[in-house]
Structure formats: C-alpha cells, structure tokens
Amino acid sequence: MKKRLVFANMILRSLTRRRSRMLAALMAIAIGSTVLSGMLTIYLDIPRQLGREFRSYGANLVLVPAGESGIMSMDDVEEAAEYLPPDKLVGVTPYRYESLGINRQPCTTAGVRFAQVAKTSPYWRVDGSWPERSNEIMIGSDIARFTGITPGTQARISGHTRDMKPFAVDMTVSGVVGTGGAEESVVFVELSTLEAMMGAGGQVNLVEISVEGSQRELEEMAGEIGANVPGVAPRLVKRIAGSEATVLGKLRSLVFLVTAVVMGLILICVATTMMTVVMERRREIGLKKAIGAESSAIIGEFIAEGAALGLAGGLAGAVSGFFFAQLISVNVFNRSVAFDYIAVPAALAAAVLVTVLACLPPVKKAADIEPAVVLRGE
Amino acid sequence: MNILELKDVSMTYGTVKALQHIDLTVGQGEWLAIMGPSGSGKTTMMNIVGCMDKASDGSVVLDGQELSKLPPRGLTAIRRDKIGLIFQQFHLVPYLTALENVVIAQYYHSMPDEDEALEALRSVGLGERARHLPSQLSGGEQQRVCIARALINCPKLILADEPTGNLDEANEKLVLEILHRLHGSGSTIIVVTHSPDVGSHADRVIVLEHGKIARTTTGALLHKSA
C-alpha cells in the first residue's frame, strides 16, 4: 500500500466523514469563489462589453486627406481598411461632400453608403426609414423644417457636374435625420448616386470608421495606416476613444477592488473556520504526534485538506460564477457575457491559493500542539 | 540488559516538584507497573518515558539513547520507532476505521501494509470489526484497536496509561490477556495504573508518592496483599 494512497485516503475521509464542519468551510469558499469567478469574467469581458457600448456612440477613427487637396481616393481608403482587424471592424463610411440644392435651396449634400452609416452612426434618430433604393435620400431635420419636406415626399436635387453641366434629379425622401449635430443640416444621398450626378467618382472627403479596440490598439492601427497609406491621414476621435479608455480603467479598478475585498473576506472566513477545525481536532493532532507524526506531516495534512477544499469550492464557484457574471452583465450592460476559459483555472487557482493561505495561521497552531495533551486528557 | 534507565530524574513545573530524584531501571522483557495516588507523578513519569516531555534534571536512557539531549524531532522519532502507546481514553482518529487507525501508525513509521494491520487487529480479536468506525465500536473494542496500533511497528517498549481504566470487567480481562500474551512473547511493558488488580499482573511494581518512589514490590506480593 503506497504512502500517498494512505495520505489521500486520510484527507478524503477527514473531509467526507466530518461533513457538517467541512460543508461550512466549503460553502464559504464556494460563495467567495462564485463572486471571484463572476468578477473575473466581468473583468475580462468589460473591454468587449464597453467596446460594444461605445460603438453605439459613433466612429472612433476617421480618415482625412493627407495633403492640401481635401480629397482622397477610394483606392487609398480601401487599402487603409485592410490594416483594420476584420473581426473588430464594425463599419467604414466614406463621405463625399458637394454643394447642391434641394428644391432650389442651397444645401450641403453628402454621398454616403447608407448600409455603413447605420453601423458607424447607430445613434442617428430617423423619422421615416433608411433609404433602400438608389433614388431615395435622407435629409437633416433642419432642412426638413426649412423646406417643409416630409418623409415619403419627392424633392428635387439640383446642381452642376464637374464639367459644369447643370442637372436636376427628383428623389424620394425616405427619412429625416436628427442627431443634435451638424448632420441635421445635410442632405444624404447614396454615394454611387451622387457620383453619377456629379459625373465623377472614386474620391471622398472623409471616412468614418467604427472599430472595437482600446485606445492603445486604435493608436497602433492609426500608426500603421499613416505609415503605409500616404494618401490618407488617420485621426482618433479623442472624445470617444479617450472616454472609453477612462471608463474602462475606472470600471476595471472597481472590479479589481471588489475582487480584492472578496478575496480578503474568503481569507478571513476560511481562516476562522480552519481555526475552529484545528481547535476541535487538538486531541487528534496530539494523538498523531504521540504516535510519531512529525509537525511537517501534520502541516502537510492540513494544507492538503485546505487545498482540496479550495479546489472543490473553487470548482463549484467557477461554474456558478459564470451565471453570476451573466446576471450582472444582463442587468448592467443589457448584454450576455462571453464565457472566458481563462476564468475557470484562474478562479480555481485563486480559490486554492487563498484557502491555503488562510490555513497557514491555524496550521501553525496545529503544528505547535504538544502530544502530552492527549495523555493528560486535556 | 536494561531497556530503560532513569538516573536522578527530577521534573519541576514552576514551584511544583512533580518528580524528585527518581532512579529506575527496566529490563528487557520486564512488565513494570507504576502505581500511586493522583498527583503522585505517574503521568509526569509516563510523559518523560514516552518522550512527550523532557525531565528538568537527570538522565533518561531508552534503548541506549539519551533522551535529554534529543531535540523535539529526535523525541518524535523515538516515540515513533521504539514506543507503543496505549491510552486510557483510547484516542482513535474518529473519521478513520479501525483498520485505517492502525495503518496510520505504519504510515508515520515507515510503509503502510494493510494486510499486516489487519493481522494485528485479528490478533486482538477484531478481524471482523476492521472496517468499523470508532463510534461503531464498544469501549473494549476501541481499546483493542489502540493496542493493535501500539503493536503494529513492533516497539521496544509498550507504554500503557490506565489501559483498563474505562473498561468493564470482561473487557479488562481481555486486554490483560493480550498484555500477558505480549509479555510472554518478550515485549517490555510499562503500565501506569490505579488498580491493584492490574498492577498485580506486573513482574515489578513501583509506588510513587509525592514525586518519589515510595516503595517497590512485585505483582505477586501485591496480589497477595490485595
């Protein structure tokens, strides 16, 4: 019979045949580990959650022409887009601005790709609907008020082509845009339609990009585009990227603090329980030392019991922690949390470490017990 | 040949002199009974001989080794390798079966051997009760598990503190029979007891009073005087 087997059997029996006391310790560890694992999952998922949240506030990266010309080619824009990670890219919206007229009133007209605008500017409030056909346009709310145009009605877009030939096209206004910003004074036309009106294509004035990533990652992407695509100059939208980084930092600090407090509480709770266990088992410890157990053997047994408790409690907590994180995420971020595999071993390791650490003071007390107490019957 | 020699051994707790200038030798294979009233120093002597306490003064030699010079680890090693302890209160690990209680003594000593442990339990008549927890055993059975555990590592000295103190007459008889069997096979036994009946089984009896050996007699004479 192997010594290790006897050791394992002794630990197992100690845990399973003294269920009531051990269950109390196990519950303390499992509850602590649940909070720990849940917080860890939230901690790891916060960038993703906040990233998505901040994407609803609009573009965080823009491309502007590099030179004095004020325009950049779509070839350069497409080349720049290749430096953005496809799995994190939310949308790329090119803007081409022209001075045209609507119902004979001068206005700024922007050629955009509506399918992309919905992604990069999800905060737009649209009265009516988004354009679906090439002859449909959207107008800003200021223009709607000024011209009296309502969704569903016709409006005449007029102007001059690049060759200075006059044109006038009747379009259907599908929706009116409200943003509280400059967009309310702009007429929006599908880019390809505007290019056909102007008789020239392949050039834009501005590109709005919405991409998931921390401020550091965005700066890296911008740096790479700037270095490799000379025709465009990337700029971070500081108020978005900066706010995201600040909020992220604060939230992570909060979660870290809560996690540290929880770990401290587990430490105290387990240490108290183990101290009680040691006091209850003074006679057993004295007996083991009387029949020849070294102090190191007693320490090893208690540490192993602590580690086994930590492992069992940690495992239960790691699983229930995911559901705890899910509950928080759904209530706070209104989104489900992603399962992060690293959270399980991390929560397990933390539970074992904290439990073993909590066992150290009581274990030292156990090692100091004199075997003579057994004979004295104290 | 002596297995145990105490020379001028004294033990003081603060101002209390628990043992005073004790000289005692115990021969190989001898059965010694230590008797005396409460507070006479029996337990103190048991703790010193059992390597659970160190004498304040004097020399204690067990199987050729001077105990007073040994560090705590050395005393633990002596306890583990040379002494088999039997307690009045039985003292079994409550969450381990009778067999497992015997096996842990092997575990701390050297290599556990379940067959050997089972044989030790059979030798005290508990082969059928090996898989029972202490709470499922009677007092007499628990004491016999305690004896089997004390014997499992073939100790040079069996030290029994009131081994029948908590037992009824039938179980007392059983335990004494086992001790007789051990004595017959050459084991050295020291029994601390209040009971003249138990003391009368010994080859030699010392009676302690106020920490000193008041008198020495034989078990047979004790039996007669009782």
Side-chain angles (χ1 to χ4, degrees):
Chain A
M1 200 175 188
K2 294 267 164 51
K3 283 192 98 161
R4 265 177 288 178
L5 256 177
V6 173
F7 179 78
N9 181 59
M10 194 153 50
I11 301 304
L12 187 72
R13 300 292 180 231
S14 169
L15 294 174
T16 55
R17 288 183 183 154
R18 297 163 49 250
R19 281 195 204 104
S20 56
R21 174 62 67 196
M22 288 298 120
L23 268 178
L26 192 67
M27 285 295 284
I29 298 163
I31 290 169
S33 178
T34 300
V35 179
L36 199 69
S37 157
M39 286 296 173
L40 192 64
T41 305
I42 298 275
Y43 184 85
L44 294 170
D45 204 47
I46 277 178
R48 195 177 66 90
Q49 295 285 9
L50 270 188
R52 284 182 182 178
E53 195 67 37
F54 270 85
R55 286 314 86 244
S56 64
Y57 298 142
N60 49 0
L61 182 66
V62 293
L63 302 180
V64 294
E68 297 293 317
S69 64
I71 52 169
M72 55 192 162
S73 76
M74 276 306 286
D75 290 342
D76 282 348
V77 171
E78 277 159 18
E79 190 186 339
E82 285 171 13
Y83 289 96
L84 303 169
D87 56 325
K88 292 187 173 182
L89 189 60
V90 178
V92 178
T93 304
Y95 284 81
R96 174 174 174 170
Y97 294 107
E98 296 291 346
S99 291
L100 301 177
I102 182 164
N103 288 355
R104 296 190 177 184
Q105 298 294 329
C107 68
T108 301
T109 304
V112 296
R113 287 175 180 159
F114 285 112
Q116 292 293 310
V117 176
K119 293 177 185 171
T120 55
S121 303
Y123 58 90
W124 282 16
R125 297 183 311 277
V126 176
D127 179 16
S129 61
W130 286 80
E132 289 175 353
R133 286 183 287 275
S134 61
N135 68 336
E136 287 183 333
I137 61 169
M138 278 206 302
I139 59 173
S141 57
D142 280 353
I143 290 179
R145 199 163 42 247
F146 182 68
T147 57
I149 300 170
T150 54
T153 59
Q154 293 281 311
R156 173 160 290 187
I157 303 293
S158 58
H160 290 86
T161 64
R162 282 288 151 87
D163 302 335
M164 296 310 289
K165 291 177 185 167
F167 70 86
V169 185
D170 288 332
M171 310 286 279
T172 304
V173 178
S174 68
V176 174
V177 176
T179 64
E183 293 87 351
E184 293 183 350
S185 304
V186 177
V187 171
F188 294 94
V189 181
E190 181 64 33
L191 180 62
S192 56
T193 307
L194 184 66
E195 285 175 340
M197 285 177 190
M198 299 306 294
Q203 289 181 326
V204 291
N205 303 96
L206 175 79
V207 177
E208 284 189 357
I209 297 169
S210 181
V211 58
E212 287 177 18
S214 64
Q215 188 164 10
R216 190 179 52 78
E217 288 172 323
L218 287 173
E219 281 168 355
E220 280 174 11
M221 291 175 206
E224 234 178 319
I225 291 170
N228 293 294
V229 189
V232 301
R235 303 269 186 272
L236 290 191
V237 182
K238 296 279 186 186
R239 71 173 192 279
I240 301 286
S243 301
E244 188 172 344
T246 307
V247 173
L248 186 67
K250 284 181 177 172
L251 256 179
R252 281 192 139 176
S253 299
L254 179 71
V255 171
F256 183 79
L257 200 69
V258 171
T259 308
V261 169
V262 168
M263 284 180 88
L265 287 175
I266 306 178
L267 204 75
I268 294 168
C269 194
V270 176
T272 311
T273 309
M274 289 308 278
M275 191 63 88
T276 313
V277 168
V278 167
M279 292 314 284
E280 282 176 352
R281 295 168 67 185
R282 279 178 82 235
R283 188 163 290 194
E284 175 199 326
I285 295 163
L287 165 70
K288 284 180 174 175
K289 291 181 94 172
I291 61 173
E294 301 276 4
S295 292
S296 56
I298 301 291
I299 289 171
E301 285 169 28
F302 271 89
I303 296 276
E305 276 187 28
L309 273 177
L311 202 64
L315 199 63
V319 174
S320 52
F322 173 71
F323 295 103
F324 176 62
Q326 194 73 272
L327 194 73
I328 291 177
S329 188
V330 165
N331 283 292
V332 176
F333 297 108
N334 214 22
R335 291 192 180 94
S336 63
V337 73
F339 183 76
D340 200 317
Y341 287 97
I342 197 76
V344 174
L348 266 180
V352 171
L353 184 73
V354 168
T355 312
V356 168
L357 275 177
C359 285
L360 292 182
V363 160
K364 172 149 187 350
K365 213 168 180 61
D368 291 342
I369 287 174
E370 294 289 334
V373 297
V374 176
L375 282 179
R376 288 191 199 120
E378 287 169 10
Chain B
M1 185 190 166
N2 293 328
I3 185 134
L4 179 69
E5 290 179 15
L6 279 73
K7 283 183 191 162
D8 198 23
V9 169
S10 295
M11 184 70 176
T12 310
Y13 297 110
T15 54
V16 178
K17 291 176 178 174
L19 287 179
Q20 299 178 60
H21 310 293
I22 299 287
D23 289 307
L24 177 72
T25 56
V26 180
Q28 180 85 51
E30 188 180 1
W31 181 340
L32 174 78
I34 303 173
M35 296 186 67
S38 294
S40 60
K42 300 191 301 293
T43 302
T44 304
M45 189 182 267
M46 172 96 179
N47 286 346
I48 291 170
V49 174
C51 296
M52 281 173 281
D53 228 336
K54 273 189 177 183
S56 310
D57 284 304
S59 151
V60 181
V61 178
L62 177 65
D63 196 29
Q65 267 191 293
E66 173 61 71
L67 302 185
S68 57
K69 292 187 178 113
L70 288 175
R73 277 185 78 120
L75 290 175
T76 303
I78 297 275
R79 234 170 21 236
R80 184 176 55 223
D81 298 338
K82 299 191 173 177
I83 301 170
L85 288 165
I86 302 168
F87 311 102
Q88 180 181 1
Q89 309 283 346
F90 320 136
H91 296 311
L92 298 172
V93 180
Y95 54 83
L96 297 181
T97 62
L99 182 65
E100 288 163 346
N101 263 286
V102 179
V103 166
I104 60 162
Q106 293 177 307
Y107 166 78
Y108 292 127
H109 179 265
S110 49
M111 281 306 282
D113 184 333
E114 201 173 289
D115 293 336
E116 215 173 80
L118 195 58
E119 194 48 47
L121 281 172
R122 282 198 192 105
S123 74
V124 294
L126 287 175
E128 303 299 314
R129 310 283 280 164
R131 311 281 173 189
H132 288 68
L133 289 170
S135 58
Q136 297 165 324
L137 300 173
S138 69
E141 287 171 329
Q142 287 186 50
Q143 189 60 299
R144 281 186 278 155
V145 175
C146 194
I147 293 172
R149 183 182 63 196
L151 302 180
I152 192 69
N153 296 320
C154 307
K156 299 263 184 182
L157 174 66
I158 294 166
L159 209 50
D161 182 20
E162 300 281 7
T164 59
N166 281 343
L167 301 182
D168 58 24
E169 207 173 315
N171 276 303
E172 178 179 314
K173 202 175 159 197
L174 265 174
V175 167
L176 287 170
E177 273 174 20
I178 294 167
L179 291 178
H180 267 292
R181 207 166 64 226
L182 291 170
H183 183 230
S185 64
S187 293
T188 309
I189 301 171
I190 298 179
V191 176
V192 172
T193 181
H194 276 99
S195 162
D197 275 352
V198 175
S200 67
H201 291 262
D203 300 328
R204 183 161 54 114
V205 179
I206 60 166
V207 180
L208 290 177
E209 279 174 16
H210 305 298
K212 292 177 181 171
I213 298 176
R215 62 196 167 93
T216 303
T217 182
T218 64
L221 283 173
L222 194 71
H223 181 66
K224 274 185 188 172
S225 63

